């Protein structure tokens, strides 16, 4: 297997506001876009000929991935103008597909261990995995190593083996992509037409993010597996516990306490007297002022956090400016996304470039859109659309 | 503007030349051509885009050659006017970027001596002059021929039976790329980034003799050493990635450019350059530039006048060269993205003759402007391939702000309320 086709055109609607400015594949987990994990896993498995099917906010992908040389791969881009489905996305790559190839979702976090065995699997094949909550996925019915049927999001799952969206195919697949929009439907049609589809089970890392708070659980999993690498400058009296990575040109000032797993990007100014607690990712060029505590959270690039803030189980997207005494405590809350209710433990989720005044308190589960402005001393809750102004 | 390239090494020259030329298409694309030597010269040229030439060509032998992509100045775009141009014998081929001012009189003289010139170009006189002076020593013949020429040039000369190239420049850019047992010559760095990041910038008046594993540069007949530079741009910087064209890519690169440029200035700790220059204090100042850089200069006037409260005059470098006046003690900023803008270079020389301190804002490390300036502020825009400038303009504004902020006489916290563009 020499070629991989990665489907990275999707928006990830349920992940708004974080996917208003970027495709789902470009969401950052532990300071790296999801797509980068996929590409790096392929490079590790010796697959360097990569076709990226892009669509929604494709410039974000171009700007970050370029021609791939930075990641040791060679990238060809194909555009899917309308995001109609995975089979439709794959069909866009018909002209550049060569021989036997791998197909992967660009917006699932895939590590090399998940695909190591699968890359030599004879097409057509599906990579499957056992999960705790199969009804969110396509449940795969397997007999003697062959796929019998894939049932998307069943009411009741017959097994806990689900489709990872990772396949091997030959050009034959394109005979079936015309009539169906999604790959599982295409496979069901192929099976009905007498083709056999192999199945291989993996216990490697394959993680999907569907809702905004999933970013936190993925971040946690990835951070726990990450190796520490300390760059930058740590002033006297900084305590570093556990696995902590710090990027170049970052300064962590005296009496700060960093308890890993934590990753901090480059060019940051942290402290003095700041606590960064486990499972926290902090992007590049972030400023965190004294007496702030951050725990189990994801902070994007260029964020400025004022002094004496409490940030727990929260996602703060790129470019937010939080003034002092911002409080985002975590507790269990029921959140509605697209008519379905979810009971989760979460703090605040803020979109890009929000400005939050002094002493603002965020109710657990608040989702603030991009470019919102919140005046000092306000209490925010529920879902705020993009560009909201809270007076 | 035209683009020229040369290759000497162990690979087949033909595909290398075509690839290098394709990276210089921004310098002109109405005609193109290559000449490759495998004992005898083979010249292929036409008034077509490089892609069309590439498709029309069957593979050529020979590991040494030159190429040209043209934007016509003298003579219409046509096959006969396309470069390379040859002498009467077809043994000497020349590619040229620049303008020869006295080509009319040279043509008449050469014609009267029996040379047959077939094109309408100014360039064609060069191979014939070299032919006239050639007595077995190509370098000497080129040096003698160039003495007859008035105007600007960057040339590469190929001769049929010798495994070497002779390159020379005056007022037009030319660089040499150093590979492993191979050498590249080009008008601009992006042409050779696929092959090497080790680059030597030739200076005005230089004549270089280049073989696969050696090069010797002479200036005024004396051997000189030219410093080797390591180019930090990557191949990816000069590729389109997924974008349809470079302009769109470069617009999207703008946030990164601001970040990179500022990060470099901040990391430097001390001012990269000083608006007041060494020990002269701040007085009035002029800013000179051409094209888009001139528009950055116009904004620069507002930035500096608004922040530093000194009078600033902005002029087009091309106009300044013919009429503008600088008084002794004037400080000047000259802005040129490439560091090779002919009018900007001329202006710098003129300013320095008057005793002005000249600060240059440029994007290209090692460029001519950076070598002759008193102080240099580099922008970190990376290679700008699109002819329409976008990210380099923004980086120039960042540089101007950075220079001015050090001497700011206004409350920085009130910056948002000031009308500084």
């Amino acid at each position: 297997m020499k070629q991989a086709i990665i489907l990275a055109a999707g928006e990830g609607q349920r992940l708004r506001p974080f996917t208003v400015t970027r495709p789902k594949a470009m969401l950052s987990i532990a300071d790296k876009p999801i797509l980068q994990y996929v590409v790096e896993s392929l490079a590790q498995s010796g697959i360097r000929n990569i076709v990226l099917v892009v669509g929604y906010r494709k410039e974000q992908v171009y700007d970050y991935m370029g021609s791939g040389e930075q990641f040791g791969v060679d990238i060809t881009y194909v555009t899917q103008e309308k995001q109609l489905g995975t089979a439709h996305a794959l069909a866009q790559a018909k002209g550049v597909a060569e021989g036997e190839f791998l197909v992967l979702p660009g917006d699932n976090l895939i590590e090399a261990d998940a695909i190591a065995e699968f890359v030599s699997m004879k097409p057509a094949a599906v990579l499957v995995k056992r999960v705790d909550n199969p009804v969110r996925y396509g449940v795969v019915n397997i007999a003697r190593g062959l796929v019998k049927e894939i049932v998307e999001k069943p009411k009741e799952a017959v097994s806990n083996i689900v489709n990872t969206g990772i396949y091997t195919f030959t050009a034959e697949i394109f005979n079936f992509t015309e009539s169906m929009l999604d790959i599982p439907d295409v496979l069901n049609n192929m099976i009905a037409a007498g083709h056999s589809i192999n199945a291989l089970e993996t216990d490697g890392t394959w993680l999907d993010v569907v809702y905004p708070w999933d970013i936190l659980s993925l971040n946690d999993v990835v951070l726990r597996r990450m190796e520490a690498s300390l760059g930058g400058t740590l002033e006297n009296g900084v305590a570093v516990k556990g696995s902590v990575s710090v990027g170049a040109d970052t300064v962590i000032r005296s009496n700060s306490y960093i308890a890993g797993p934590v990753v901090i990007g480059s060019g940051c100014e942290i402290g003095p007297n700041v606590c960064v607690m486990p499972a926290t990712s902090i992007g590049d060029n972030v400023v965190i002022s004294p007496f702030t505590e951050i725990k189990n959270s994801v902070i994007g690039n260029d964020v400025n956090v004022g002094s004496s803030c409490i940030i727990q189980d929260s996602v703060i997207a790129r470019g937010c400016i939080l003034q002092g005494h911002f409080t985002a405590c975590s507790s269990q809350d029921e959140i509605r996304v697209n008519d379905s209710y979810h009971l989760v433990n979460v703090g605040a989720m803020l979109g890009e470039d929000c400005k939050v005044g002094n002493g603002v308190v965020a109710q657990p589960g608040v989702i603030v859109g991009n470019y919102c402005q919140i005046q000092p001393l306000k209490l925010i809750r529920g879902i705020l659309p993009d560009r909201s102004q809270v007076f | 503007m035209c683009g020229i390239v040369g290759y000497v090494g162990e690979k087949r020259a033909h595909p290398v030349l075509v690839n290098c030329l394709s990276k210089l298409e921004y310098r002109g694309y109405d005609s193109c051509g290559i000449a490759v030597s495998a004992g005898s010269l083979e010249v292929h040229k036409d008034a077509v885009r490089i892609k069309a030439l590439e498709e029309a060509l069957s593979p050529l032998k020979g590991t040494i050659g030159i190429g040209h992509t043209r934007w016509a100045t003298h003579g219409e775009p046509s096959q006969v006017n396309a470069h390379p141009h040859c002498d009467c014998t077809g043994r000497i081929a020349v590619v040229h970027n620049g303008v020869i001012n006295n080509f009319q009189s040279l043509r008449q003289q050469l014609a009267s001596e029996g040379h047959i010139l077939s094109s309408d170009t100014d360039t064609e006189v060069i191979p014939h002059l070299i032919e006239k002076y050639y007595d077995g020593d190509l370098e000497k013949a080129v040096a003698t021929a160039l003495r007859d020429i008035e105007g600007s040039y960057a040339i590469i000369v190929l001769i049929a039976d010798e495994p070497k190239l002779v390159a020379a420049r005056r007022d037009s850019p030319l660089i040499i790329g150093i590979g492993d047992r191979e050498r590249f010559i080009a008008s601009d760095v992006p042409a050779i980034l696929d092959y090497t990041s080790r680059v030597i910038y030739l200076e005005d008046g230089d004549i270089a003799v280049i073989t696969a594993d050696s090069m010797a540069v002479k200036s005024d007949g004396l051997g000189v050493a030219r410093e080797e530079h390591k180019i930090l741009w990557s191949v990816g910087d000069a590729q389109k990635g997924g974008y349809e064209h470079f302009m769109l890519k470069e617009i999207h690169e703008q946030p990164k450019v601001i970040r990179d440029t500022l990060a470099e200035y901040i990391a430097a700790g001390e001012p990269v350059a000083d608006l007041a220059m060494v020990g002269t204090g701040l007085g009035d100042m002029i800013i000179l530039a051409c094209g888009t850089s001139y528009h950055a200069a116009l904004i620069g006037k507002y930035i500096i006048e608004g922040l530093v409260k000194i009078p600033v005059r902005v002029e087009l470098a091309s106009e300044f060269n013919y009429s503008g006046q600088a008084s002794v003690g004037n400080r000047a900023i000259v802005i040129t993205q490439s560091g090779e803008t002919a009018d900007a270079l001329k202006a710098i020389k003129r300013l320095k003759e008057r005793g002005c301190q000249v600060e240059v804002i440029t994007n290209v490390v090692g460029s001519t402007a950076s070598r002759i300036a008193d102080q240099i502020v580099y922008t970190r825009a990376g290679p700008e391939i699109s002819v329409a400038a976008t990210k380099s303009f923004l980086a120039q504004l960042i540089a101007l702000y950075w220079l001015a902020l050090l001497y700011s006489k206004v409350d920085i916290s009130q910056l948002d309320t000031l009308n500084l563009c």
Side-chain angles (χ1 to χ4, degrees):
Chain A
M1 204 80 58
K2 289 192 173 125
Q3 189 184 48
I5 299 172
I6 304 178
L7 311 180
E11 173 182 347
Q13 223 189 63
R14 287 171 292 182
L15 281 153
R16 287 179 189 171
F18 302 122
T19 50
V20 168
T21 52
R22 61 193 63 217
K24 183 178 163 191
M26 290 305 291
L27 284 181
S28 179
I29 304 290
D31 285 6
K32 273 200 304 199
I34 295 171
L35 182 59
Q36 190 181 344
Y37 290 93
V38 181
V39 169
E40 286 176 349
S41 301
L42 288 167
Q44 269 185 52
S45 308
I47 298 176
R48 304 192 182 278
N49 173 352
I50 288 177
V51 178
L52 275 179
V53 182
V54 293
Y56 179 75
R57 298 272 182 265
K58 58 181 188 261
E59 295 80 10
Q60 296 280 342
V61 183
Y62 296 161
D63 289 345
Y64 192 88
M65 302 304 296
S67 305
E69 59 151 11
Q70 211 189 322
F71 309 98
V73 298
D74 191 16
I75 296 176
T76 308
Y77 290 96
V78 171
T79 307
Q80 182 193 22
E81 294 296 345
K82 277 192 181 152
Q83 282 73 63
L84 297 176
T86 49
H88 180 258
L90 176 59
Q92 310 306 308
K94 188 176 174 180
V96 290
E98 297 165 6
E100 299 180 352
F101 50 88
L102 207 59
V103 175
L104 310 93
D107 54 7
N108 288 176
L109 200 150
I110 298 157
E111 293 204 341
D113 61 347
I115 53 170
E117 233 181 296
F118 189 65
V119 293
S120 51
M121 193 79 177
K122 208 170 157 39
V126 184
L127 185 70
V128 297
K129 186 173 164 72
R130 280 174 210 275
V131 296
D132 295 335
N133 182 17
V135 292
R136 253 164 84 155
Y137 304 100
V139 172
V140 187
N141 196 345
I142 300 171
R144 288 183 300 276
L146 295 181
V147 178
K148 283 177 70 185
E149 191 190 16
I150 301 176
V151 188
E152 280 302 308
K153 299 183 185 73
K155 288 248 160 38
E156 266 179 65
V158 290
S159 78
N160 60 349
I161 296 176
V162 303
N163 175 9
T164 59
I166 304 172
Y167 314 95
T168 60
F169 291 127
T170 61
E172 188 170 24
I173 186 77
F174 297 115
N175 298 332
F176 294 84
T177 51
E178 294 294 318
S179 53
M180 286 292 168
L181 290 174
D182 280 302
I183 292 176
D185 299 332
V186 168
L187 292 183
N188 286 336
N189 275 2
M190 286 176 79
I191 294 162
H195 291 266
S196 46
I197 314 272
N198 300 303
L200 182 76
E201 192 182 327
T202 181
D203 52 8
T205 311
W206 167 79
L207 297 160
D208 192 14
V209 44
V210 179
Y211 297 104
W213 49 88
D214 292 341
I215 292 173
L216 294 173
S217 51
L218 253 71
N219 186 58
D220 182 76
V221 172
V222 174
L223 281 182
R224 279 174 205 290
R225 299 163 52 92
M226 211 155 78
E227 279 174 39
S229 71
L230 275 183
T233 310
L234 305 188
E235 287 188 355
N236 282 340
V238 173
V240 174
K241 307 266 162 106
S243 161
V244 175
S245 294
V246 179
D249 301 324
T250 286
V251 182
I252 302 181
R253 304 216 177 270
S254 297
N255 300 326
S256 292
Y257 190 95
I258 318 287
V262 162
V263 55
I264 298 173
S266 57
C268 298
E269 280 258 356
I270 312 242
N273 301 302
V274 160
C275 283
V276 182
M277 305 309 279
T280 296
S281 294
I282 294 173
D284 296 335
N285 306 315
V286 171
V287 177
I288 301 176
S289 302
F291 308 111
T292 286
E293 188 202 50
I294 303 179
K295 187 179 173 183
N296 191 40
S297 293
V298 174
I299 313 287
N301 295 340
D302 308 321
V303 169
N304 192 316
V305 182
S307 56
S308 305
C309 296
I310 300 168
I311 298 174
Q312 301 172 341
D313 299 350
S314 296
V315 182
I316 313 289
R318 194 195 61 83
C320 284
I321 298 174
L322 313 176
Q323 291 185 340
H325 294 267
F326 171 70
T327 305
C329 289
S330 169
S331 92
Q332 202 169 59
D333 188 54
E334 200 170 42
I335 304 177
R336 197 183 96 169
V337 176
N338 290 358
D339 295 330
S340 61
Y341 288 86
H342 306 269
L343 196 63
V344 285
N345 263 314
V346 68
M349 285 156 286
L350 270 63
E352 290 185 4
D353 290 320
C354 290
K355 286 188 180 161
V356 179
N358 278 300
V360 168
V361 175
Q363 285 261 8
V366 67
I367 298 179
V368 179
N370 299 286
Y371 326 112
C372 290
Q373 300 209 5
I374 297 151
Q375 293 297 311
L377 302 172
K378 296 293 165 190
L379 178 73
I380 50 174
R381 68 179 115 199
I383 296 179
L384 277 61
D386 286 356
R387 296 176 208 281
S388 297
Q389 306 240 3
V390 180
F391 293 101
Chain B
M1 203 158 69
C2 303
I4 65 175
V5 298
Y7 174 79
V8 48
E10 291 171 342
K11 297 190 188 103
R12 276 203 307 121
H14 164 198
V16 177
L17 292 171
V18 168
N19 181 40
C20 292
L21 279 181
S22 69
K23 305 285 166 57
L24 290 181
E25 227 175 359
Y26 73 93
R27 300 181 68 89
Y29 50 80
D30 64 39
S31 326
C32 59
I34 64 172
V36 173
S37 165
S40 63
L41 283 193
E42 255 196 272
V43 179
H44 294 271
K45 58 184 189 177
D46 205 349
V48 294
R49 297 289 286 255
I50 292 156
K51 191 129 189 72
L53 184 83
E54 186 184 358
E55 280 159 9
L57 275 183
S58 50
L60 302 176
K61 278 192 199 144
T63 60
I64 177 166
I66 56 178
H68 188 272
T69 180
R70 182 166 187 248
W71 195 243
T73 53
H74 295 62
E76 58 167 16
S78 67
Q79 181 165 27
V80 66
N81 286 341
H83 298 220
H85 287 287
C86 292
D87 68 332
C88 299
T89 64
R91 288 180 59 233
I92 298 168
V94 172
V95 287
H96 167 225
N97 170 33
V99 176
I100 296 168
N101 298 329
N102 62 335
F103 82 102
Q104 291 286 15
S105 59
L106 288 172
R107 275 183 82 95
Q108 281 161 13
Q109 193 194 332
L110 285 165
S112 70
E113 287 166 12
H115 290 269
I116 297 157
L117 285 84
S118 49
S119 78
D120 310 321
T121 64
D122 53 348
T123 302
E124 203 184 359
V125 300
I126 303 174
H128 289 277
L129 282 172
I130 295 170
E131 179 194 7
K132 175 176 155 185
Y133 295 122
Y134 184 68
D135 59 3
D137 184 345
L138 183 64
E139 184 194 355
K140 206 173 114 212
V142 171
T144 315
L146 290 177
R147 256 179 248 138
D148 291 350
I149 286 169
E150 291 163 20
S152 63
Y153 56 78
I155 59 164
I156 310 173
V157 185
L158 171 67
I159 190 161
D161 34 25
E162 291 183 50
K164 68 180 181 193
L165 297 170
V166 176
R169 68 160 281 191
R170 185 159 79 205
D171 295 333
S172 289
L174 202 59
I175 59 144
I176 298 171
I178 302 167
D180 185 20
R181 292 191 56 74
E182 57 184 357
R183 296 284 186 279
F184 306 84
I185 312 171
S187 298
D188 200 358
V189 174
I192 61 166
L193 275 182
D194 280 352
Y195 305 101
T196 183
S197 57
R198 296 164 60 199
V199 166
I200 286 169
Y201 293 86
L202 290 183
E203 296 187 15
D204 274 352
D206 282 357
I207 297 179
V209 179
I210 298 139
T211 68
D213 43 20
S214 75
M215 63 167 275
V217 184
K218 279 187 188 164
S219 178
D220 289 330
L222 299 172
V224 288
R226 294 287 175 232
E227 196 186 339
E228 183 180 318
H229 293 266
K230 179 97 184 148
I231 301 294
L232 298 173
W233 299 345
S234 69
V235 179
D237 286 341
Q239 288 176 348
K240 277 189 290 198
Y243 286 104
E244 272 172 59
H245 46 78
F246 277 108
M247 186 168 166
L248 201 54
K249 179 189 180 221
E250 287 163 7
I251 287 170
H252 280 274
E253 276 173 354
Q254 291 183 139
K256 182 175 176 288
V257 166
I258 295 176
R259 206 182 287 266
D260 290 352
T261 303
L262 271 181
E264 167 144 334
Y265 296 166
I266 292 167
E270 54 199 56
V272 280
D274 191 338
L275 203 58
M277 309 287 173
V278 188
T280 53
L282 266 176
D284 56 335
M285 117 172 340
I286 55 177
I287 310 180
L288 301 175
C290 300
T292 304
S293 299
Y294 172 72
H295 289 88
L298 289 172
I299 297 176
K301 174 185 167 77
Y302 283 81
I303 295 170
I304 296 172
E305 288 189 341
L307 287 174
V308 191
K309 312 287 184 200
I310 55 169
V312 177
R313 200 174 96 217
V314 181
E315 279 191 52
L316 276 166
S318 47
E319 298 300 323
F320 175 83
N321 287 335
Y322 297 100
S323 69
Q325 294 295 321
S327 55
V328 179
N330 256 146
R331 273 144 297 272
I333 298 176
V334 177
I335 310 176
T336 158
Q337 187 277 127
S338 64
E340 302 291 348
T341 313
D343 285 313
L345 295 178
K346 197 169 167 190
I348 296 171
K349 288 172 194 161
R350 247 184 116 224
L351 286 161
K352 290 193 63 148
E353 279 164 19
R354 304 284 173 85
C356 277
Q357 289 278 311
V358 181
E359 196 158 317
V360 162
I361 297 176
T362 182
N363 192 38
V364 180
V365 178
S367 58
T368 309
S370 74
R371 289 194 303 266
I372 60 177
D374 294 305
Q375 292 196 50
I376 316 153
V377 183
Y378 287 115
T379 52
R380 284 286 174 252
E384 188 165 63
I385 313 289
S386 163
V387 173
T390 53
K391 60 176 182 173
S392 66
F393 170 76
L394 212 67
Q396 288 164 353
L397 293 186
I398 299 294
L400 286 162
Y401 272 112
W402 189 256
L403 283 170
L405 277 171
L406 194 68
Y407 287 94
S408 172
K409 291 198 172 68
V410 303
D411 182 356
I412 301 291
S413 66
Q414 299 301 307
L415 213 54
D416 281 352
T417 61
L418 290 170
N419 218 348
L420 293 177
C421 304

